[in-house]
Amino acid sequence: MSVTRIAVIGSGPSGAYTAQLLTEESESPVEVDVFDKLPTPFGLVRYGVAPDHPRVKSITTSFAEVFEETPGVRFLGNVHIGTDLTIEELRARYDAVVFAHGAPLDRRLGIPGEDLGGVNAVREFVSWYQGHPDQAVDAFVLDGRRAVVIGVGNVALDAARMLVRTPEALRLTDIPEHVVESFAGSTIDEVVVIGRRGPAYAKFTNKEFIELLEVESTDVIIDPADLELDAEQQAVLAADPAARRLVATFQKAAERGSLGRDKTIRFLFDRTPAEFLGDADGAVTGIRLVQTSDPTVSETLEVDLALRSVGYLGKPLDGLPFDERTGTIPHLDSRVVDGDEVVEGVYVAGWVKRGPNGVVGTNRKCALETVTSLLADLGERDGASTAASADEVDDLLRSRGVQVVDWNAWRAIEDAEIATGAAVDRERIKLHVREDMLQVAADAPEPLGSPEPELAGASAHA
Ligand code: NAP
């Protein structure tokens, strides 16, 4: 029986679940090559999930089993789809291709002053503190007094919490030491989180808000006047128990008020950002907010750092249809469609399919839908697989000078991170700079039991 070969683009939660489910659900043999443009696997679990949420991050243990222990599943890191391999080349070499590369762009506010220095997408800030190789190690200098975070989703809360964490708490995470030192030297003592609608519409979860109240060094301030809800918000609470619980916790926070702690996170609701103000050097100095329910009322806050946390967006890829409005690839039951036409053999999973929402586990159900459609289509196919072999794919990448980071090379990067942490009594410290990762990958010892190099043929990467 010929082996079906499938390419998955992206090794984050949706890609990892897709690879796992393809091998579990298929009744005939399948091989899955999971590509990632980064030299590291796990996508947003490594670079998105907050570093002080180790329980959520520990899902990497089960994703690692997919890559390490499932026969036929390979990780091919540091491969850019679109440049190292085009989409046409992929489609010609695999029986099916699943795009699960997430939502790497950010929504903008579309207001004056958004390009001033010090106004950033929250993704840039998150990527920096998580040690993402596409962010410079010195991308953020935290030398102002007040930061504002625009948006009231879980990502906004993560960023606000990281801005007030103590160095001791940060050293329990895996973030790079230079990032810990930047936070330790931060002079920012107030973070203002801004919601454009009332508190009943806050998108973050009660659990994450309670966690914020428990950050030992920080006061959480909510103006009781912001909790006087209009009829519309009352109706939201009546219909939605989660909103009810969250607003009840807001009430407790408002009653608690200031405990005289070093830092403050202040929430403002019903405020629409109207413009950022800047100085002669092009650096942000303030933000003008307009009361959403009464636009004749406005106020200006002094600001040293502004993070817009108003949602992520997918990215168009050459050769694939894209819906600019939703920032997703259009699909029917996970089959990519161009107008009314199904693009044969091409599927989507995760945020690029359904938009940037849900928690890590949401991606399992989403990937199962994708795998179900894909396997049904393969079941109806005439004839055997026409896919290229794993060696042929490796040969092509090698001929183009691509340094593929395979699972063994990734393990070497992991070992280096654990060793770097152990040297300073931390569990692990992430490597931040791509060249450092690629050097460690290039020097990775061959895994025990692998063939002698001269006998290994075309299978060695990195
Ligand atoms: P989100 O939950 O969609 O929140 C986006 C926020 O931006 C909303 O408050 C939204 O307000 C606001 N917004 C949008 N456009 C705006 C504008 N023009 N002006 C002002 N505010 C605007 O997105 P997210 O925080 O990026 O999170 C993405 C997904 O990841 C979510 O599903 C989230 O739960 C998940 N996540 C979960 C965790 C966790 O479980 N710990 C952590 C991080 C992320 P409106 O409601 O008014 O549109």
Side-chain angles (χ1 to χ4, degrees):
M1 187 184 292
S2 71
V3 177
T4 298
R5 290 191 32 82
I6 297 165
V8 174
I9 315 309
S11 66
S14 54
Y17 281 127
T18 300
Q20 180 184 31
L21 290 162
L22 280 168
T23 57
E24 283 176 9
E25 300 289 315
S26 175
E27 286 169 9
S28 57
V30 286
E31 290 179 356
V32 187
D33 281 355
V34 183
F35 292 91
D36 205 299
K37 71 181 170 55
L38 295 176
T40 55
F42 312 134
L44 267 195
V45 181
R46 180 171 160 96
Y47 290 118
V49 171
D52 55 349
H53 285 172
R55 286 244 307 279
V56 184
K57 277 192 180 296
S58 69
I59 186 77
T60 53
T61 308
S62 77
F63 290 158
E65 282 171 17
V66 177
F67 293 111
E68 193 158 289
E69 292 171 20
T70 314
V73 175
R74 302 196 304 166
F75 172 67
L76 294 94
N78 198 38
V79 181
H80 284 241
I81 300 305
T83 49
D84 295 334
L85 277 177
T86 67
I87 290 171
E88 290 69 34
E89 288 169 337
L90 270 179
R91 290 183 65 192
R93 282 166 181 76
Y94 289 89
D95 294 297
V97 183
V98 181
F99 286 89
H101 57 287
L105 303 181
D106 341 275
R107 286 192 186 281
R108 289 174 66 85
L109 294 165
I111 60 172
E114 206 166 348
D115 293 316
L116 287 166
V119 180
N120 298 87
V122 75
R123 182 185 51 77
E124 295 169 311
F125 182 60
V126 172
S127 295
W128 167 71
Y129 68 63
Q130 299 264 19
H132 190 295
D134 290 349
Q135 277 297 316
V137 296
D138 58 355
F140 285 85
V141 179
L142 305 172
D143 59 358
R145 247 219 66 225
R146 181 186 283 145
V148 295
V149 183
I150 296 148
V152 283
N154 278 320
V155 173
L157 231 53
D158 282 347
R161 195 177 65 252
M162 287 297 288
L163 278 164
V164 298
R165 279 281 194 214
T166 61
E168 295 72 36
L170 293 172
R171 286 204 167 90
L172 298 175
T173 76
D174 61 4
I175 63 174
E177 190 59 28
H178 55 264
V179 172
V180 176
E181 277 160 21
S182 294
F183 278 120
S186 167
T187 50
I188 290 174
D189 58 14
E190 186 182 42
V191 183
V192 182
V193 183
I194 299 166
R196 64 175 166 179
R197 298 192 282 166
Y201 298 102
K203 288 235 178 102
F204 52 72
T205 41
N206 193 34
K207 181 167 162 278
E208 322 303 312
F209 183 71
I210 290 172
E211 181 187 6
L212 202 62
L213 293 176
E214 289 165 356
V215 175
E216 60 294 326
S217 53
T218 302
D219 278 334
V220 175
I221 301 297
I222 295 185
D223 183 350
D226 274 355
L227 300 179
E228 288 164 14
L229 306 186
D230 58 18
E232 200 180 298
Q233 292 190 73
Q234 298 280 6
V236 170
L237 295 203
D240 181 355
R244 217 157 46 232
R245 279 195 294 276
L246 181 57
V247 171
T249 315
F250 288 158
Q251 296 281 7
K252 284 187 193 144
E255 283 159 23
R256 185 175 87 169
S258 171
L259 301 172
R261 292 172 170 174
D262 292 348
K263 301 199 177 189
T264 302
I265 296 183
R266 184 182 303 280
F267 284 81
L268 294 179
F269 291 101
D270 189 26
R271 310 295 208 285
T272 298
E275 66 176 320
F276 292 104
L277 310 168
D279 62 17
D281 298 328
V284 69
T285 56
I287 184 169
R288 189 165 65 79
L289 302 169
V290 168
Q291 198 172 309
T292 312
S293 57
D294 179 1
T296 61
V297 180
S298 84
E299 70 201 291
T300 301
L301 295 181
E302 282 181 21
V303 170
D304 303 294
L305 171 69
L307 302 171
R308 54 167 197 276
S309 180
V310 295
Y312 294 128
L313 275 180
K315 185 177 168 187
L317 288 177
D318 275 351
L320 280 187
F322 191 71
D323 182 338
E324 295 284 350
R325 194 181 47 84
T326 58
T328 58
I329 294 178
H331 70 97
L332 253 182
D333 296 331
S334 312
R335 298 172 177 95
V336 172
V337 288
D338 195 353
D340 294 336
E341 296 284 307
V342 170
V343 182
E344 206 186 316
V346 183
Y347 302 82
V348 275
W351 278 8
V352 75
K353 165 179 155 186
R354 60 173 209 277
N357 55 66
V359 293
V360 172
T362 314
N363 292 292
R364 189 176 192 283
K365 180 171 170 282
C366 177
L368 184 59
E369 290 163 9
T370 305
V371 165
T372 303
S373 290
L374 189 159
L375 293 177
D377 294 350
L378 285 179
E380 285 176 10
R381 169 180 75 169
D382 290 333
S385 166
T386 54
S389 68
D391 283 351
E392 284 168 331
V393 172
D394 293 345
D395 284 347
L396 177 63
L397 289 168
R398 195 178 305 109
S399 74
R400 291 178 177 177
V402 180
Q403 183 191 341
V404 178
V405 175
D406 66 7
W407 192 259
N408 178 55
W410 153 246
R411 280 297 195 198
I413 293 172
E414 260 209 315
D415 289 347
E417 293 188 340
I418 291 166
T420 311
V424 291
D425 239 9
R426 289 179 59 190
E427 197 169 317
R428 175 181 189 145
I429 298 179
K430 275 181 182 164
L431 294 180
H432 192 152
V433 178
R434 182 182 287 264
E435 288 70 30
D436 295 345
M437 296 183 199
L438 293 181
Q439 189 57 56
V440 173
D443 296 341
E446 281 300 316
L448 286 177
S450 59
E452 292 297 314
E454 60 271 25
L455 300 176
S459 65
H461 310 290

